PDB file of all heavy atoms in Angstrom:
ATOM      1  N   ARG A  49      -4.009  -7.044   5.655  1.00 92.00           N
ATOM      2  CA  ARG A  49      -2.556  -6.936   5.923  1.00 92.00           C
ATOM      3  C   ARG A  49      -2.297  -7.039   7.430  1.00 92.00           C
ATOM      4  O   ARG A  49      -2.983  -6.435   8.157  1.00 92.00           O
ATOM      5  CB  ARG A  49      -2.065  -5.564   5.455  1.00 92.00           C
ATOM      6  CG  ARG A  49      -0.656  -5.392   5.660  1.00 92.00           C
ATOM      7  CD  ARG A  49      -0.111  -4.206   4.813  1.00 92.00           C
ATOM      8  NE  ARG A  49       1.251  -3.888   5.202  1.00 92.00           N
ATOM      9  CZ  ARG A  49       1.870  -2.841   4.861  1.00 92.00           C
ATOM     10  NH1 ARG A  49       1.308  -1.902   4.058  1.00 92.00           N
ATOM     11  NH2 ARG A  49       3.102  -2.642   5.159  1.00 92.00           N
ATOM     12  N   ARG A  50      -1.278  -7.832   7.740  1.00 93.00           N
ATOM     13  CA  ARG A  50      -0.906  -7.985   9.152  1.00 93.00           C
ATOM     14  C   ARG A  50      -0.138  -6.746   9.498  1.00 93.00           C
ATOM     15  O   ARG A  50       0.788  -6.236   8.838  1.00 93.00           O
ATOM     16  CB  ARG A  50      -0.035  -9.227   9.288  1.00 93.00           C
ATOM     17  CG  ARG A  50       0.340  -9.549  10.709  1.00 93.00           C
ATOM     18  CD  ARG A  50       1.013 -10.881  10.782  1.00 93.00           C
ATOM     19  NE  ARG A  50       1.736 -11.118  11.953  1.00 93.00           N
ATOM     20  CZ  ARG A  50       1.169 -11.527  13.067  1.00 93.00           C
ATOM     21  NH1 ARG A  50      -0.045 -11.796  13.104  1.00 93.00           N
ATOM     22  NH2 ARG A  50       1.873 -11.533  14.220  1.00 93.00           N
ATOM     23  N   LEU A  51      -0.362  -6.187  10.715  1.00 94.00           N
ATOM     24  CA  LEU A  51       0.209  -4.955  11.119  1.00 94.00           C
ATOM     25  C   LEU A  51       1.631  -5.133  11.748  1.00 94.00           C
ATOM     26  O   LEU A  51       2.437  -4.248  11.642  1.00 94.00           O
ATOM     27  CB  LEU A  51      -0.730  -4.160  12.143  1.00 94.00           C
ATOM     28  CG  LEU A  51      -1.998  -3.651  11.586  1.00 94.00           C
ATOM     29  CD1 LEU A  51      -2.821  -2.942  12.626  1.00 94.00           C
ATOM     30  CD2 LEU A  51      -1.727  -2.758  10.370  1.00 94.00           C
ATOM     31  N   ASP A  52       1.915  -6.299  12.374  1.00 90.00           N
ATOM     32  CA  ASP A  52       3.145  -6.617  12.941  1.00 90.00           C
ATOM     33  C   ASP A  52       3.663  -5.323  13.896  1.00 90.00           C
ATOM     34  O   ASP A  52       4.787  -4.839  13.618  1.00 90.00           O
ATOM     35  CB  ASP A  52       4.254  -6.843  11.844  1.00 90.00           C
ATOM     36  CG  ASP A  52       4.092  -8.274  11.383  1.00 90.00           C
ATOM     37  OD1 ASP A  52       3.740  -9.162  12.158  1.00 90.00           O
ATOM     38  OD2 ASP A  52       4.434  -8.532  10.197  1.00 90.00           O
ATOM     39  N   LEU A  53       2.936  -5.038  14.805  1.00 96.00           N
ATOM     40  CA  LEU A  53       3.259  -3.941  15.670  1.00 96.00           C
ATOM     41  C   LEU A  53       4.246  -4.465  16.752  1.00 96.00           C
ATOM     42  O   LEU A  53       4.149  -5.583  17.251  1.00 96.00           O
ATOM     43  CB  LEU A  53       2.035  -3.365  16.310  1.00 96.00           C
ATOM     44  CG  LEU A  53       0.978  -2.897  15.388  1.00 96.00           C
ATOM     45  CD1 LEU A  53      -0.303  -2.460  16.230  1.00 96.00           C
ATOM     46  CD2 LEU A  53       1.403  -1.738  14.553  1.00 96.00           C
ATOM     47  N   THR A  54       5.233  -3.589  17.061  1.00 95.00           N
ATOM     48  CA  THR A  54       6.205  -3.890  18.060  1.00 95.00           C
ATOM     49  C   THR A  54       5.540  -3.792  19.491  1.00 95.00           C
ATOM     50  O   THR A  54       4.552  -3.096  19.648  1.00 95.00           O
ATOM     51  CB  THR A  54       7.414  -2.978  17.995  1.00 95.00           C
ATOM     52  OG1 THR A  54       7.091  -1.670  18.303  1.00 95.00           O
ATOM     53  CG2 THR A  54       8.043  -3.125  16.631  1.00 95.00           C
ATOM     54  N   ASP A  55       6.185  -4.409  20.484  1.00 96.00           N
ATOM     55  CA  ASP A  55       5.766  -4.194  21.857  1.00 96.00           C
ATOM     56  C   ASP A  55       5.726  -2.701  22.232  1.00 96.00           C
ATOM     57  O   ASP A  55       4.789  -2.243  22.978  1.00 96.00           O
ATOM     58  CB  ASP A  55       6.634  -4.914  22.859  1.00 96.00           C
ATOM     59  CG  ASP A  55       6.455  -6.457  22.747  1.00 96.00           C
ATOM     60  OD1 ASP A  55       5.362  -6.928  22.097  1.00 96.00           O
ATOM     61  OD2 ASP A  55       7.366  -7.186  23.162  1.00 96.00           O
ATOM     62  N   ASP A  56       6.715  -1.959  21.832  1.00 96.00           N
ATOM     63  CA  ASP A  56       6.764  -0.506  22.193  1.00 96.00           C
ATOM     64  C   ASP A  56       5.661   0.274  21.444  1.00 96.00           C
ATOM     65  O   ASP A  56       5.039   1.180  22.137  1.00 96.00           O
ATOM     66  CB  ASP A  56       8.100   0.146  21.678  1.00 96.00           C
ATOM     67  CG  ASP A  56       9.220  -0.302  22.627  1.00 96.00           C
ATOM     68  OD1 ASP A  56       9.039  -0.747  23.797  1.00 96.00           O
ATOM     69  OD2 ASP A  56      10.463  -0.126  22.149  1.00 96.00           O
ATOM     70  N   GLN A  57       5.291  -0.065  20.310  1.00 96.00           N
ATOM     71  CA  GLN A  57       4.200   0.590  19.593  1.00 96.00           C
ATOM     72  C   GLN A  57       2.869   0.238  20.322  1.00 96.00           C
ATOM     73  O   GLN A  57       2.084   1.146  20.604  1.00 96.00           O
ATOM     74  CB  GLN A  57       4.055   0.076  18.129  1.00 96.00           C
ATOM     75  CG  GLN A  57       5.060   0.708  17.172  1.00 96.00           C
ATOM     76  CD  GLN A  57       4.986   0.036  15.769  1.00 96.00           C
ATOM     77  OE1 GLN A  57       5.009  -1.161  15.657  1.00 96.00           O
ATOM     78  NE2 GLN A  57       4.982   0.935  14.775  1.00 96.00           N
ATOM     79  N   LEU A  58       2.635  -0.982  20.660  1.00 96.00           N
ATOM     80  CA  LEU A  58       1.493  -1.465  21.348  1.00 96.00           C
ATOM     81  C   LEU A  58       1.389  -0.691  22.749  1.00 96.00           C
ATOM     82  O   LEU A  58       0.271  -0.205  23.115  1.00 96.00           O
ATOM     83  CB  LEU A  58       1.411  -2.919  21.471  1.00 96.00           C
ATOM     84  CG  LEU A  58       1.213  -3.709  20.193  1.00 96.00           C
ATOM     85  CD1 LEU A  58       1.441  -5.201  20.400  1.00 96.00           C
ATOM     86  CD2 LEU A  58      -0.168  -3.466  19.701  1.00 96.00           C
ATOM     87  N   ALA A  59       2.542  -0.617  23.433  1.00 96.00           N
ATOM     88  CA  ALA A  59       2.489  -0.008  24.792  1.00 96.00           C
ATOM     89  C   ALA A  59       2.206   1.492  24.692  1.00 96.00           C
ATOM     90  O   ALA A  59       1.629   2.010  25.584  1.00 96.00           O
ATOM     91  CB  ALA A  59       3.829  -0.276  25.536  1.00 96.00           C
ATOM     92  N   GLY A  60       2.546   2.122  23.551  1.00 97.00           N
ATOM     93  CA  GLY A  60       2.321   3.508  23.405  1.00 97.00           C
ATOM     94  C   GLY A  60       0.897   3.892  22.988  1.00 97.00           C
ATOM     95  O   GLY A  60       0.556   4.992  22.892  1.00 97.00           O
ATOM     96  N   ILE A  61       0.031   2.839  22.748  1.00 98.00           N
ATOM     97  CA  ILE A  61      -1.334   3.237  22.328  1.00 98.00           C
ATOM     98  C   ILE A  61      -2.193   3.185  23.604  1.00 98.00           C
ATOM     99  O   ILE A  61      -2.428   2.230  24.243  1.00 98.00           O
ATOM    100  CB  ILE A  61      -1.817   2.147  21.342  1.00 98.00           C
ATOM    101  CG1 ILE A  61      -1.035   2.131  20.037  1.00 98.00           C
ATOM    102  CG2 ILE A  61      -3.301   2.400  20.969  1.00 98.00           C
ATOM    103  CD1 ILE A  61      -1.286   1.051  19.065  1.00 98.00           C
ATOM    104  N   ARG A  62      -2.669   4.376  23.888  1.00 98.00           N
ATOM    105  CA  ARG A  62      -3.534   4.572  25.018  1.00 98.00           C
ATOM    106  C   ARG A  62      -4.865   5.232  24.677  1.00 98.00           C
ATOM    107  O   ARG A  62      -5.838   5.200  25.378  1.00 98.00           O
ATOM    108  CB  ARG A  62      -2.887   5.396  26.050  1.00 98.00           C
ATOM    109  CG  ARG A  62      -1.681   4.756  26.641  1.00 98.00           C
ATOM    110  CD  ARG A  62      -1.160   5.480  27.967  1.00 98.00           C
ATOM    111  NE  ARG A  62       0.105   5.175  28.539  1.00 98.00           N
ATOM    112  CZ  ARG A  62       0.707   4.025  28.661  1.00 98.00           C
ATOM    113  NH1 ARG A  62       0.338   3.004  27.962  1.00 98.00           N
ATOM    114  NH2 ARG A  62       1.832   3.894  29.285  1.00 98.00           N
TER     115      ARG A  62
END
Side-chain angles (χ1 to χ4, degrees):
R49 181 164 174 193
R50 185 170 162 88
L51 294 180
D52 280 329
L53 302 175
T54 67
D55 289 343
D56 287 342
Q57 286 174 310
L58 291 169
I61 298 174
R62 299 192 186 332

